[in-house]
Amino acid sequence: KSVKTTYTKHIRKLFELFKLTDKQQYILKNICFVSPLGISTKLFCKWIEEQNGNDISDLTELGLVHIENGVLSLHSIIKDVITEELKPTITGCATLVKNIKYDCLHYGTDTAYYRNIIDFISNILSRIIDDDTDNYLDLAETAFCYAEKYNELTFMHKVINLLDYYIKNDLTDKARDKAQFYMFKAAYVIKKYENKFSSAVDFTKKAINIAEENNSEDLTAMLGILYSNLGEYLLYESPKANIPKTIAAYNKAFGLIP
């Protein structure tokens, strides 16, 4: 522990001596979410819309950033110092957040480095200062669907717990967040427990009730998806007994989805 404390003090002193530019500090604030797996330097530059990478090269020469075989990484103590000293926020990292969400929406595109991306987002959710809750939760919810594609149960559970915390502590009053909380719980139990279709049906019905009872938000598209999910879960729960209910759910979905 004493060695780590000494090293941390040394890093802080180097920060003062280096007199980092605003651009370099901005890059470090965004880099500090990288996991031990690292992240593609090219992908990271795309996320923060860095054109030439000169500032990243300068940070590498200063020993603050490590790049090997095109993969960017940071020492854990440097990440901690950056987080404490530069205090990255959702608004301060808005470009990064926007572009990560854009990439997550490409569900049909398979990537070999999906785990790196999911770990990066997980660190954002854990480390960043939430000064824009709508954008923060939108990132978490968008990433949940991306993680679901790859059966990343740990991350899916993290987002569910995050939404639960925000809802219970009145940090969000949006019906969309509350409905998605139950929609995500349904998706999670199906992934984790193959035959838990009855639980998925119950969660989905709760999500539908929340969405239908709220008139202040346009949740039509979400309702269409929820009814479609309900039809699927009902069919798997009891293929013969639930056929009328399944057809009714699908008809409701088709009437809602544009």
Side-chain angles (χ1 to χ4, degrees), residues 233-244 246:
Y233 299 151
L234 285 166
L235 186 61
Y236 282 110
E237 180 189 31
S238 183
K240 292 183 179 180
N242 285 339
I243 285 178
T246 299

Side-chain angles (χ1 to χ4, degrees), residues 241-255:
N242 285 339
I243 285 178
K245 295 179 182 178
T246 299
I247 293 173
Y250 279 134
N251 283 337
K252 188 80 172 178
F254 293 146

